[in-house]
Amino acid sequence: MLINLSIKNYALIDNLNVNFTEGFTTITGETGAGKSILLGGLSLVLGKRADMSSLKDKEAKCVIEAVFDLKNYNLKSFFNKNDLEYETHTIVRREIHPSGKSRAFVNDSPLTLDILTQLGKRLVDIHSQHQTLQLTEHDFQLKLIDAFADNAGILDAYTIKLGKYKATLQEFEELIEFQKNANKEHDYNAFLLNELDSIYLEEGLQEKLEDQYEQLNNIETVLENLSKGNQILKDDQIGIISLFQELKSILVKLSGIGNKFTPLRERFDSVFIELKDLAEEMQIMQESIEPDPGKLEEINSKLQAIYDLQRKHDVSDITQLIDIRKTLANKVSATQNLEEAIEDKRSLIEGLKKELDKEADLLSVRRKNAIPEIKQKLEASLSSLGLPNATFKIDTIPAEEYKSNGTDKLIFLFSANKGSDYNTLKKVASGGELSRIMLVIKSILARYEHLPTLMFDEIDSGVSGEISNRMGDIMHKMSRNMQVFSITHLPQIASKGDHHFKVFKTDKEDSTQTQMKELLEDERVFELAEMLGGKSLSDSALAHARELLN
């Protein structure tokens, strides 16, 4: 429920702050007084796109703030989903800056315009001439039937299954398309993979082969140097080991003379052991290494194959070749397993289609069962609104595709007079007839669907007299279960309001301002009298106004 609206620096409004309560509220005012401005300001705070031309003072920001009582709106899940702070009394604020920047807040938490628009639809349903045109659309007409048939739960189940079906169908189509391209590439990828598989690729292989190649390619130099090394170590006359033997004798004699020489001998022993190990290792190497031209050629061939693959795939090391091999293996495997994956997806689609058909068939049955009573209620309500001969032809026929609300095409035809041909509302219903039909539909929806605050913007267009009186009765009856506003030019409707506001303009210095006030009992009499007979306020107009209020 809307409990407060504050508008600053918008169009002809400097500063407006109005409180509202539950029930039926009527809003009147002369043409051009600013009723549309008030509605425009409310639309902005509900998510309508901002227009810089709406700023009264182009150097100051426009701020529109609305306070809502949400205790009956079941909006906690919406707030949680969009990471908004929920409060029973929620404040929605819209700011439009002179720079053109627009910002929106809910309980001081910023939010996008898209989320604000979604929230706005759940807070206030503004009926305008544009929305009357919605009445001619099949989806809106079907919404009436679904509300009456209590199809909300089934529609939710259908929507979930439709989402799964569409997602799976898209995956299936992508697999088919992938298969077309994959088949073209499969042979080439398999060829590349075989090339890489011809060499056992592993981390460090290239370095290992390059090291082996260097040794075998320089085998004569290796053997020559090992031989020289062994000669230096083991020569009987000048070899290092022979000299170390002499040094050992000297250190043994010294250690026998005094303990302070013992550490020298111990250090020598350690070095001498290492030296003999070195000599032994070099001797083994010299004896074990021999030229192997065949092995050298084999290693050279492997290295050349690796270098060729690196050049072919434009990489610099074996790790990148390993990554490329994995990618190719996945592609080849995916192509080989694609047919099985496609069949699995096709089977899944068939299963989802059966579930979807079951929900859609249930919707169709319930809609057909609800149509006779809806038709009766529409015609009875319109009869009381001055259309005694208005009749409808309503039916559903199967559609060829899954739609967002089922598989039904709706036939919704109207005739306002006896003997007239039935046709779509768009073709045969006048503006006044559309307004009355829309009001009746809203009143039916209000009984079966939890609607937000309803604001009718001149829904009385094209009607007058007793018919407008009855339309006012319908809106007042609706307000027993929800908050209803009506912006109206008709005194018969204005008099039905539990609360009556007047929008008017005042001149202040060099500017015109739009203001709004709630009328007291006597003020309502004068306002209704003016609406009935003009500014002259005749006794008969005043008497008629009092009669309307009573």
Side-chain angles (χ1 to χ4, degrees), residues 68-329:
F68 293 91
D69 183 348
L70 303 185
K71 63 177 178 288
N72 295 322
Y73 279 66
N74 298 320
L75 286 175
K76 284 185 179 180
S77 60
F78 178 88
F79 275 66
N80 292 334
K81 177 183 175 183
N82 293 288
D83 198 24
L84 299 173
E85 183 180 351
Y86 179 84
E87 298 286 348
T88 302
H89 278 194
T90 281
I91 301 172
V92 184
R93 186 171 80 256
R94 186 81 180 276
E95 297 179 356
I96 305 165
H97 293 256
S99 63
K101 184 178 180 181
S102 169
R103 298 196 301 168
F105 303 86
V106 171
N107 296 325
D108 287 328
S109 297
L111 74 166
T112 64
L113 189 61
D114 179 57
I115 295 175
L116 177 62
T117 302
Q118 293 177 42
L119 177 61
K121 290 177 180 178
R122 290 165 168 81
L123 296 175
V124 181
D125 179 359
I126 298 179
H127 169 85
S128 60
Q129 289 183 344
H130 168 71
Q131 197 187 35
T132 299
L133 295 177
Q134 283 185 331
L135 181 58
T136 64
E137 299 171 0
H138 281 182
D139 283 351
F140 185 84
Q141 296 164 356
L142 207 53
K143 181 181 177 182
L144 165 68
I145 296 170
D146 284 329
F148 193 88
D150 194 21
N151 281 342
I154 303 168
L155 272 170
D156 287 343
Y158 172 85
T159 301
I160 291 170
K161 288 181 171 63
L162 180 62
K164 290 180 180 178
Y165 173 78
K166 286 184 174 180
T168 308
L169 189 61
Q170 182 176 347
E171 292 168 1
F172 175 76
E173 290 169 351
E174 288 172 356
L175 280 175
I176 295 294
E177 186 63 28
F178 179 75
Q179 186 185 43
K180 290 179 183 176
N181 297 323
N183 286 339
K184 297 175 185 176
E185 298 177 3
H186 175 71
D187 292 342
Y188 180 60
N189 287 336
F191 170 75
L192 293 177
L193 181 61
N194 287 333
E195 273 190 334
L196 290 168
D197 282 341
S198 66
I199 300 173
Y200 178 68
L201 298 174
E202 62 177 348
E203 295 287 350
L205 173 64
Q206 184 175 344
E207 292 81 0
K208 179 181 176 182
L209 290 173
E210 287 173 342
D211 184 59
Q212 290 177 346
Y213 178 82
E214 286 300 316
Q215 287 186 40
L216 289 171
N217 194 44
N218 295 282
I219 192 71
E220 292 179 358
T221 302
V222 171
L223 288 171
E224 181 183 346
N225 282 286
L226 283 173
S227 177
K228 285 182 179 179
N230 278 322
Q231 186 178 0
I232 290 170
L233 285 168
K234 294 182 176 181
D235 188 273
D236 290 340
Q237 300 298 321
I238 60 170
I240 293 174
I241 290 178
S242 296
L243 294 175
F244 262 53
Q245 290 285 6
E246 292 181 22
L247 181 58
K248 181 179 180 181
S249 297
I250 293 169
L251 290 173
V252 168
K253 291 176 182 179
L254 286 174
S255 63
I257 296 171
N259 290 333
K260 72 175 184 177
F261 298 108
T262 300
L264 290 176
R265 179 189 164 186
E266 291 174 349
R267 289 171 64 191
F268 171 82
D269 288 343
S270 177
V271 173
F272 194 31
I273 291 169
E274 188 66 29
L275 185 63
K276 288 192 291 184
D277 281 347
L278 176 63
E280 187 68 26
E281 187 81 20
M282 290 181 69
Q283 181 66 39
I284 293 170
M285 283 186 177
Q286 184 179 354
E287 292 172 353
S288 64
I289 294 176
E290 58 184 35
D292 189 346
K295 182 71 172 176
L296 179 62
E297 181 60 32
E298 179 187 343
I299 291 172
N300 183 54
S301 295
K302 287 182 178 180
L303 281 172
Q304 289 305 317
I306 291 173
Y307 297 150
D308 289 344
L309 288 171
Q310 287 175 344
R311 282 192 295 272
K312 184 170 187 174
H313 294 282
D314 194 23
V315 296
S316 58
D317 58 54
I318 204 163
T319 300
Q320 292 171 295
L321 282 179
I322 292 172
D323 291 339
I324 290 171
R325 189 207 169 280
K326 288 179 182 176
T327 301
L328 287 170

Side-chain angles (χ1 to χ4, degrees), residues 145 148-151 361-375 394-396 408:
I145 296 170
F148 193 88
D150 194 21
N151 281 342
D361 290 345
L362 183 57
L363 281 172
S364 295
V365 170
R366 292 173 67 92
R367 285 166 177 167
K368 283 187 177 294
N369 290 339
I371 284 173
E373 191 173 352
I374 292 174
K375 181 177 179 297
I394 307 173
D395 200 0
T396 60
D408 289 323

Side-chain angles (χ1 to χ4, degrees), residues 132-138 141 412-414 423-431 433-434 437:
T132 299
L133 295 177
Q134 283 185 331
L135 181 58
T136 64
E137 299 171 0
H138 281 182
Q141 296 164 356
F412 199 96
L413 304 178
F414 174 72
N423 213 321
T424 60
L425 288 171
K426 185 185 294 185
K427 292 183 177 179
V428 298
S430 67
E433 288 165 348
L434 283 175
I437 294 170

